[in-house]
Amino acid sequence: MGFGSNLAVGCASVLTIVGAGYVMVQVVQNMSQHPDQSGSENSGEGEPEQDRGKPHAMKMQRIYEWLWGEGWISAGGLGLTQELLEHLMGFGLKVPAKDAMRVLDVHTGTGGAAFYMNDRYGAKVTGIDEGCWILSARTRLLKKRDTSLLHFYDLNVFHQLKSTHQAVYDLVWCRDGFHAYDEIQKRTIFRAVPQQLRSGGMLAFTELCKQPGPLSATSGPFECYIRSRGIDLYSNSEYRNLVERCLSPGWELKTVDCSNQLIISYAQDIDLLLEHRHTFIAKFGSEAFEELEIELKSRQKWLELGFLGFVLFVVKQASSR
């Protein structure tokens, strides 16, 4: 999932961006066994009473899918995801010759990246997230294809990541999901996940990063937005240092600044929204149009000013010298 989508936090809540802010939506916590070992898969049938934010969250899902395409609630949709995966191939990620590439899609959301990697690479993808409202979208998409290589689970993501001890994945993938965790949780994740990778495997994730220095050096609205939402942003170098301190010998970290790609993507989104203004308003209403326009323009401006950066982090086995 990405900036502009729903971000799972700890055990039992999801943050949904609305307009230029976040709204807290409570979801049910569903503890599960390791999805690649045993335990029943959540079919998405039935809705827990605790999921009271579902109608609004599903509306936002439909809005983002209108903007980025069916199954996509991460900024940039398919196009940006393809660019990010091309970077991974450049870093040496390979599709196994003898069996399917095995991918863990962390905070999978509506599963856009999972479905794409299955289509493009024939990957066997396990998607994990927390929040029952998104299951219906994945169920809808699953009906359109062979599901033998696609499995989705609603569970406690942090518990899952820290508790798996087998090397089973070629790629662990996450779009903008780790900034929802505090520093101690991040360290736990970055120590645990590399041990879950098969030979040649990678951990790849994107994050929004702030500019170096205190938030007070940015604009008032941006500082207010970040502080009021309790978002724990790091600069690129701070995040890099955090990850590198967690890696065991034999692992290395690579980074790619993809801010320009996201700026271009938001510009395209704004053009699309304005071009189809009347269609959007007829479907979602004028208030939703104004909120989305403010949201997209604010993010584009913050990226252009350098208040925000969009960075791809790749943890891989160190190259031999």
Side-chain angles (χ1 to χ4, degrees):
M1 308 179 74
F3 189 49
S5 62
N6 297 347
L7 306 174
V9 179
C11 297
S13 61
V14 168
L15 294 176
T16 305
I17 294 181
V18 181
Y22 289 93
V23 173
M24 183 66 75
V25 181
Q26 296 300 320
V27 301
V28 64
Q29 177 177 333
N30 178 16
M31 295 299 293
S32 153
Q33 292 177 300
H34 190 285
D36 284 311
Q37 295 175 357
S38 61
S40 61
E41 186 169 349
N42 192 325
S43 66
E45 296 179 359
E47 300 172 9
E49 293 182 1
Q50 298 97 318
D51 198 9
R52 297 173 183 174
K54 182 176 179 180
H56 178 77
M58 291 190 70
K59 179 181 179 181
M60 295 310 302
Q61 171 204 316
R62 291 193 298 271
I63 288 175
Y64 291 131
E65 287 189 302
W66 180 90
L67 187 64
W68 294 316
E70 186 179 34
W72 295 98
I73 57 174
S74 294
L78 173 60
L80 184 55
T81 298
Q82 289 173 323
E83 291 185 46
L84 295 171
L85 290 172
E86 284 300 316
H87 283 302
L88 300 190
M89 296 302 171
F91 284 128
L93 181 66
K94 292 181 173 59
V95 178
K98 295 183 179 181
D99 58 355
M101 179 166 70
R102 300 191 65 176
V103 179
L104 178 66
D105 186 14
V106 179
H107 292 302
T108 186
T110 46
F115 289 112
Y116 173 72
M117 285 187 274
N118 173 249
D119 290 339
R120 176 68 177 83
Y121 305 113
K124 179 179 180 180
V125 186
T126 299
I128 59 174
D129 212 326
E130 39 199 306
C132 294
W133 69 269
I134 48 181
L135 290 176
S136 60
R138 294 195 297 252
T139 301
R140 182 186 72 237
L141 293 172
L142 280 168
K143 291 178 180 178
K144 301 180 179 181
R145 64 190 68 214
D146 174 13
T147 61
S148 62
L149 296 179
L150 288 162
H151 302 278
F152 296 100
Y153 300 87
D154 176 19
L155 44 73
N156 183 313
V157 173
F158 176 69
H159 177 81
Q160 181 63 51
L161 293 176
K162 74 174 183 178
S163 303
T164 302
H165 304 293
Q166 297 178 328
V168 292
Y169 300 112
D170 299 294
L171 174 63
V172 176
W173 170 262
C174 184
R175 272 294 304 270
D176 309 354
F178 291 149
H179 79 256
Y181 301 104
D182 62 33
E183 183 170 336
I184 294 176
Q185 291 174 317
K186 286 184 175 74
R187 291 179 184 277
T188 300
I189 290 170
F190 297 139
R191 290 189 181 107
V193 171
Q195 311 312 313
Q196 301 168 27
L197 298 172
R198 299 200 289 189
S199 178
M202 295 181 182
L203 162 63
F205 62 97
T206 59
E207 282 290 7
L208 290 161
C209 296
K210 68 179 181 68
Q211 66 182 21
L215 279 176
S216 57
T218 62
S219 70
F222 178 75
E223 179 185 6
C224 180
Y225 169 75
I226 296 299
R227 293 194 186 282
S228 65
R229 272 60 186 180
I231 304 171
D232 189 19
L233 291 185
Y234 294 71
S235 69
N236 188 336
S237 59
E238 289 170 339
Y239 216 121
R240 186 182 184 93
N241 289 337
L242 185 153
V243 175
E244 288 180 331
R245 288 197 299 269
C246 297
L247 299 181
S248 300
W251 293 90
E252 63 180 355
L253 174 66
K254 301 289 186 180
T255 62
V256 182
D257 189 329
C258 300
S259 302
N260 287 337
Q261 289 98 311
L262 193 55
I263 291 171
I264 292 170
S265 177
Y266 279 137
Q268 293 170 342
D269 294 339
I270 293 167
D271 289 343
L272 177 67
L273 180 65
L274 296 178
E275 180 181 353
H276 298 281
R277 175 191 181 104
H278 298 296
T279 301
F280 183 95
I281 291 175
K283 189 174 182 66
F284 300 109
S286 58
E287 182 177 353
F289 175 87
E290 292 173 1
E291 289 178 343
L292 184 60
E293 183 182 18
I294 291 172
E295 176 183 328
L296 295 173
K297 289 182 175 179
S298 296
R299 293 172 183 167
Q300 182 190 36
K301 180 59 66 175
W302 290 339
L303 285 160
E304 289 175 339
L305 293 173
F307 297 161
L308 276 178
F310 179 62
V311 182
L312 172 65
F313 294 86
V314 180
V315 174
K316 58 187 286 288
Q317 292 169 337
S319 303
S320 57
R321 303 297 180 184

